[in-house]
Amino acid sequence: MSAPVLHGYWRSSAAYRVRIALNLKGVVYDQVAHDLRHGEQRAAEYLAIAPHGLVPALEVDGRVLIESPAIIEWIDTRWPTPALLPADPDAAATVRAMAAIIACDIHPLCNLRVLRTLKAMGHSQDEIDHWVRRWIGDGFAALEQMVARHGRGFCFGDTPTAADCHLVPQLYNADRFALDLTPYPALVAAGAAARALPAIAAAHPDLQPDADRQ
């Protein structure tokens, strides 16, 4: 297998999730950046790769995988160790649910397309920031209970899972929008444990080749 190629953007939380998963598996991969601020994800060349015009996309030996949850599960199947989903079906369902709170409940309401639409509708930056904090806070309130119940250092159990792949980027976004994290001590602790791992630390947006250097 040739080195996978990850199409992303340094500050995309969905691409951040996939970087974490690849790094935890020790997979060597290349990156191609598409600056979302300038609409590069809608260029014809990229749409020929990923018709939905979103990042991330992962190219592997002529195949293209899209949507970060599907990519992460494919990575976990292709490189089984260390596992990102528990072997027990009930436990795996819980991890998937934790990840889905972020990927399905929080992220679709707070991604760049939505925020730009809100701005085009005349909402102020303060209103937009309030919107983002509201939806992250709602999701975190539910996730806090699950991590407090199932976590033993990480989101689920004592090793990082797909849930942590999702949580770390969402905590990064929460910091960007100045969300008060005081009500979420279990999430904060799990995030700190995850970010302390070198593989996860290396996935941080500021360390990516296309990161702003201002």
Side-chain angles (χ1 to χ4, degrees), residues 6 12 36 50 53 55 58 61 63 69 91 100 159-160 169 180 194 202 206:
L6 177 62
S12 160
L36 306 187
V55 298
L58 190 69
D61 290 341
R63 299 185 303 278
T159 58
D180 178 12
D206 290 348

Side-chain angles (χ1 to χ4, degrees), residues 187-208:
L187 294 189
V188 170
R195 286 192 296 260
L197 298 177
I200 293 180
H204 192 280
D206 290 348
L207 301 179
Q208 304 319 302

Side-chain angles (χ1 to χ4, degrees), residues 21-22 24-25 72 75-76 80 82-86 95 160-163 165:
L22 289 168
L24 285 171
K25 300 290 188 175
I72 289 170
I75 290 168
D76 197 41
L84 298 178
L85 286 171
V95 170
T161 66
C165 294

Side-chain angles (χ1 to χ4, degrees), residues 110-125:
C110 301
N111 65 24
L112 184 59
R113 292 183 299 172
V114 170
L115 303 189
R116 282 182 166 171
T117 299
L118 290 172
K119 193 170 190 68
M121 293 170 63
H123 291 280
S124 69
Q125 189 60 50

